[in-house]
Amino acid sequence: MAIEITSEDIFTPEKLKSHFKIYAGPGAGKTHFLVENVKNIVTQNSAIVESRSRKVLCVTYTNAAVDEIKKRLDKFTDCVDVCTIHGFIIEHIIQPFQQDLISLMESDFGISVRAKGKITSQIEGLGILHGIDKNEIYEYVKKLNPSEFSSDVFDYSKKAMGEIQTDNNSFADSVIKGETRQVKLKAPSKIAECHIIPLKQYVWSVVRKLTHDEVLYFGYRILETNPTALYAIRVKFPFIFVDEFQDTNPIQTLLIKLIGQRSTIVGVIGDIAQSIYSFQGARPTDFGTFSIEGQRPIEEYVINRNRRSTANIVNLCNFLRQSDNKVKQVSKRAYNSEDEKAKAEAKKIHFLIGSSQNVQGIIQAVIQDGGVVLTRAWAAAFDYIRDIDDEQSELLKSIYSSYRPSPIQLRDEIVEHNNVTWVRAFRFIFMLWEGYLNGSFIDILRSLQLYGSIDPQKITPKVIYQIGKISKDIFSTIGDDTCTVSIIEAFNSKIKEQEYIDLRKAVFDDDFEIPLFDEYDDSRRDLINGLHWGTSHKLFTEVFSEDSKYMTVHQAKGLEWDKVIVSVTPNKFDKIKLSALFSRPQLIDETPSDEFTRMYYVACSRAKEDLYIHIKTGCSSDTIETAIASFVAQTKMQIAYEIVS
């Protein structure tokens, strides 16, 4: 039985002698608990205070979470290392133990790699072969394996070649079950068996990059085979806290367990009901069954308080997670006054059934009032944005689907990175356009800097005039149904004309043009060509912006808003209908239907005061009323709601 605690509790030195596991739902104050206990350890615990080299390690799931914890730790960060699991492995295992890495490549996979430079991780959001000439890869493999080389069977895309990597699932399963180690590479079916090893040798030897899965594999294998490396980690980090543990995959769990078998105290914090990353290997049951072999026991705690949401929202979330007996949340939201509390707690849950004008009007009013729409896939957001026709909406959904099997997160690319070729081209043309419309020369220069270095001394009045002239020429005939690609192509055509020679020399090369596509875009080129100016501009400025009102559930994890509209619809792979979700919600198992329920739960739990659940089809009001009435009768947890159709 887990011991109930609050997010304000500070663990005593006695409690910190044992590993611990904390069950904590949304809004429980997990980050607050983590930060305050870390501060206490680095100022009071002798293992840290009496050493200049020892630190507390905090591992969390995203870079955004890393930044948030660092911000809250403030002046205490010198004694704490906050990072993602990949960041931890790269910095503390892969980089300092390069020779072990190279030896394991040889012993595990028969691939010989010379020690001629650091091997590190692939760049976030880019294919591992990004920027590599495919002919160079062919020549390398041909030299290694001339008898098997044939140009008619070696026509692989860089995307396919980059997907060759360690088979972490098979390896982890074999370790967990105590069976013969399954050490192998996995590759797309189109890659011939005889080419797998040579291609992987090229990546490790020449590109010298590891995929994200390979970082995990070799991180674990180095610690497993090198006692000195494992000892060094344990000495440096006497305490390891892992936040969002439900999102870790089996090989990450094996690595944490290995470190915790001696000396280091491990604390894991998580919530089975928020495990929504099965596509990355996460298994919700791994959190519930987590234990560490060794002399230390693992103590279990639970935080049942919810400091985020009103009682109605908390109880609806309890309704969705009723199959989980570990956590039963109670709203403990703070209010500035009794009047504010009364107004907030009086707000009902709103079930919006169907797509009538009344329902659509309510949704648009909520969005205008600062509400956020949470959907299953980002393209579904266009069902809620005005002035986007059905054909363009379907086009966006197809583009979204084309990125599913790739490591590229398109929203991150558009908001932050601009690494994808067509994304950078679109970003450039929109920035140039907005600078032209607003008369902002600074914005125009920022757009040009996406492709060239700007020397202020070369920006003469003549160059400024040419920037204005080319902008007027290409933007004067834009309509919402003009294709964005055609405007970029118009720029490429214009910039080559003689009258813009000064602009070319000041910013670009003589033969410069904005690149639109690369090999990774072959399968989606026609789709992107069909995007209208109005559609793609909304994509970049409304959906994929830092203050977007439209997000997927996965992007929203860890965030919160006063008003939330949940529009999450199951597909055929989820093997569930909304009527079944409400009739008998199940979320603790590793089935597709359970994961869909967890996704629904996460979406609803983002709301602080106003929760609107939009059900277009698939569930009647009678089903909802019957299910909630039964839950209230059994638990005495009151849920005030209304149904609008």
Side-chain angles (χ1 to χ4, degrees):
M1 187 72 177
I3 301 168
E4 185 164 358
I5 59 173
T6 75
S7 60
E8 304 296 332
D9 285 1
I10 301 296
F11 276 11
T12 63
E14 190 63 30
K15 285 184 178 179
L16 289 171
K17 290 180 180 178
S18 300
H19 303 303
F20 61 88
K21 174 167 47 178
I22 299 176
Y23 299 90
K30 296 190 293 292
T31 304
H32 178 80
F33 173 87
L34 180 67
V35 167
E36 294 307 311
N37 273 273
V38 168
K39 288 179 180 178
N40 180 64
I41 290 172
V42 300
T43 56
Q44 302 294 327
N45 195 281
S46 60
I48 305 296
V49 174
E50 296 175 6
S51 172
R52 293 183 178 180
S53 59
R54 291 185 171 185
K55 293 185 176 186
V56 175
L57 174 63
C58 290
V59 177
T60 191
Y61 197 71
T62 65
N63 290 322
V66 168
D67 293 340
E68 177 63 23
I69 292 174
K70 285 182 177 178
K71 179 182 176 182
R72 295 200 196 186
L73 283 170
D74 193 19
K75 62 184 179 181
F76 297 94
T77 53
D78 287 346
C79 299
V80 187
D81 200 337
V82 188
C83 51
T84 63
I85 189 69
H86 288 86
F88 162 67
I89 294 172
I90 285 292
E91 181 177 351
H92 297 286
I93 305 175
I94 298 293
Q95 290 186 356
F97 297 99
Q98 289 275 301
Q99 190 54 56
D100 292 84
L101 171 64
I102 291 171
S103 297
L104 286 165
M105 289 172 170
E106 174 74 44
S107 63
D108 288 6
F109 303 101
I111 294 178
S112 177
V113 176
R114 288 184 296 165
K116 62 173 185 177
K118 288 281 188 182
I119 300 174
T120 187
S121 178
Q122 70 182 102
I123 298 172
E124 188 74 33
L126 288 183
I128 203 164
L129 294 173
H130 181 82
I132 303 295
D133 185 349
K134 188 156 63 171
N135 290 326
E136 179 184 321
I137 305 173
Y138 289 177
E139 290 302 316
Y140 184 92
V141 174
K142 184 176 181 179
K143 288 179 181 178
L144 282 182
N145 205 359
S147 63
E148 297 289 346
F149 183 85
S150 174
S151 58
D152 61 335
V153 299
F154 203 87
D155 189 22
Y156 307 133
S157 68
K158 287 197 293 185
K159 177 179 178 295
M161 292 187 285
E163 289 174 355
I164 301 171
Q165 62 179 342
T166 55
D167 188 342
N168 284 10
N169 289 338
S170 296
F171 174 76
D173 284 344
S174 65
V175 174
I176 293 167
K177 295 175 182 177
E179 299 173 349
T180 302
R181 293 290 181 92
Q182 296 295 307
V183 178
K184 57 185 179 181
L185 296 171
K186 62 179 181 179
S189 58
K190 65 182 71 173
I191 305 287
E193 185 72 26
C194 60
H195 293 145
I196 291 175
I197 293 295
L199 284 170
K200 192 78 261 186
Q201 180 161 336
Y202 174 83
V203 173
W204 287 347
S205 299
V206 180
V207 183
R208 303 188 79 76
K209 292 283 196 297
L210 302 173
T211 68
H212 295 308
D213 278 359
E214 289 167 354
V215 168
L216 300 176
Y217 175 84
F218 286 113
Y220 176 75
R221 289 287 286 136
I222 289 171
L223 293 189
E224 184 185 37
T225 57
N226 185 340
T228 301
L230 182 55
Y231 177 77
I233 294 295
R234 288 170 173 163
V235 169
K236 186 167 187 177
F237 299 112
F239 297 95
I240 296 179
F241 293 161
V242 185
D243 194 15
E244 305 290 357
F245 191 81
Q246 76 280 347
D247 294 330
T248 59
N249 63 41
I251 201 164
Q252 294 170 349
T253 302
L254 286 172
L255 186 143
I256 296 298
K257 285 183 175 184
L258 183 60
I259 298 171
Q261 285 176 3
R262 289 186 186 178
S263 175
T264 297
I265 297 297
V266 173
V268 299
I269 307 170
D271 183 17
I272 288 175
Q274 296 186 75
S275 178
I276 57 174
Y277 286 95
S278 66
F279 62 92
Q280 294 182 353
R283 300 175 183 175
T285 54
D286 281 356
F287 179 57
T289 60
F290 180 77
S291 62
I292 298 177
E293 295 179 5
Q295 299 178 345
R296 289 184 172 84
I298 184 163
E299 301 293 342
E300 292 192 356
Y301 303 91
V302 61
I303 302 176
N304 279 320
R305 293 184 177 185
N306 183 309
R307 308 194 309 177
R308 172 187 297 158
S309 306
T310 64
N312 272 328
I313 294 172
V314 169
N315 287 344
L316 181 77
C317 289
N318 283 333
F319 161 76
L320 291 172
R321 75 176 300 159
Q322 60 188 274
S323 59
D324 172 30
N325 60 11
K326 292 289 187 182
V327 177
K328 299 296 180 197
Q329 286 200 302
V330 178
S331 176
K332 294 294 181 180
R333 187 167 183 241
Y335 297 97
N336 293 322
S337 67
E338 286 299 317
D339 184 54
E340 181 186 55
K341 179 180 179 180
K343 287 181 179 178
E345 295 295 339
K347 292 180 176 179
K348 299 178 180 180
I349 308 295
H350 313 276
F351 288 95
L352 309 178
I353 310 294
S355 299
S356 67
Q357 286 189 346
N358 184 32
V359 167
Q360 293 299 329
I362 292 171
I363 290 171
Q364 289 303 320
V366 173
I367 294 171
Q368 291 300 313
D369 196 30
V372 172
V373 179
L374 302 184
T375 60
R376 175 69 174 277
W378 59 258
F382 282 82
D383 293 339
Y384 295 92
I385 299 176
R386 291 177 176 174
D387 304 322
I388 298 293
D389 63 40
D390 292 343
E391 183 179 341
Q392 287 286 292
S393 180
E394 289 305 311
L395 200 61
L396 287 163
K397 291 173 185 176
S398 296
I399 294 172
Y400 164 79
S401 297
S402 75
Y403 279 100
R404 277 184 184 167
S406 81
I408 295 174
Q409 299 294 320
L410 196 56
R411 182 181 188 275
D412 294 342
E413 283 300 313
I414 291 175
V415 175
E416 302 175 34
H417 304 314
N418 298 316
N419 287 324
V420 174
T421 302
W422 74 268
V423 167
R424 181 177 294 196
F426 277 47
R427 172 71 69 201
F428 163 79
I429 207 68
F430 292 139
M431 289 172 66
L432 186 66
W433 184 56
E434 288 167 1
Y436 167 71
L437 290 179
N438 300 329
S440 171
F441 192 66
I442 295 299
D443 286 343
I444 290 173
L445 287 181
R446 285 177 54 237
S447 71
L448 298 175
Q449 284 173 332
L450 286 173
Y451 292 103
S453 58
I454 305 296
D455 182 350
Q457 294 182 346
K458 292 183 179 180
I459 306 301
T460 63
K462 195 170 186 178
V463 170
I464 294 173
Y465 169 78
Q466 290 178 10
I467 291 173
K469 178 71 164 55
I470 196 172
S471 298
K472 183 178 180 180
D473 286 347
I474 64 174
F475 295 137
S476 59
T477 59
I478 280 183
D480 271 358
D481 58 352
T482 303
C483 290
T484 307
V485 167
S486 69
I487 301 300
I488 299 170
E489 289 173 339
F491 177 90
N492 283 339
S493 178
K494 283 285 182 183
I495 195 68
K496 295 173 183 176
E497 295 179 2
Q498 184 62 26
E499 67 175 308
Y500 299 112
I501 188 171
D502 298 283
L503 173 57
R504 284 203 310 275
K505 288 182 177 180
V507 181
F508 309 116
D509 297 326
D510 272 349
D511 58 349
F512 176 81
E513 64 177 30
I514 302 299
L516 258 167
F517 301 107
D518 60 27
E519 184 189 5
Y520 285 95
D521 298 321
D522 284 346
S523 63
R524 59 186 70 93
R525 188 183 299 251
D526 291 342
L527 300 173
I528 295 165
N529 277 330
L531 283 177
H532 292 168
W533 181 267
T535 303
S536 48
H537 187 255
K538 285 178 181 290
L539 178 69
F540 276 67
T541 59
E542 292 188 28
V543 179
F544 291 160
S545 60
E546 291 183 359
D547 57 349
S548 175
K549 294 182 179 181
Y550 312 93
M551 303 187 78
T552 69
V553 180
H554 289 92
Q555 292 155 1
K557 198 163 180 286
L559 303 177
E560 58 185 35
W561 297 272
D562 286 338
K563 300 174 185 289
V564 172
I565 301 167
V566 174
S567 178
V568 182
T569 305
N571 59 39
K572 63 181 180 179
F573 302 107
D574 297 317
K575 299 181 179 179
I576 189 174
K577 296 185 183 298
L578 284 178
S579 56
L581 180 146
F582 284 101
S583 297
R584 189 171 175 267
Q586 300 287 319
L587 52 61
I588 62 173
D589 292 329
E590 293 176 0
T591 68
S593 60
D594 283 62
E595 172 137 349
F596 178 81
T597 305
R598 292 194 293 271
M599 191 183 309
Y600 217 91
Y601 174 85
V602 169
C604 292
S605 68
R606 302 304 96 194
K608 295 163 66 175
E609 285 194 16
D610 291 291
L611 174 59
Y612 297 79
I613 299 176
H614 185 202
I615 301 173
K616 297 179 183 179
T617 185
C619 185
S620 69
S621 57
D622 289 345
T623 299
I624 295 169
E625 290 171 346
T626 301
I628 291 179
S630 175
F631 174 77
V632 170
Q634 291 175 16
T635 64
K636 309 305 179 188
M637 295 182 186
Q638 297 302 313
I639 301 174
Y641 68 94
E642 66 174 359
I643 294 178
V644 181
S645 58

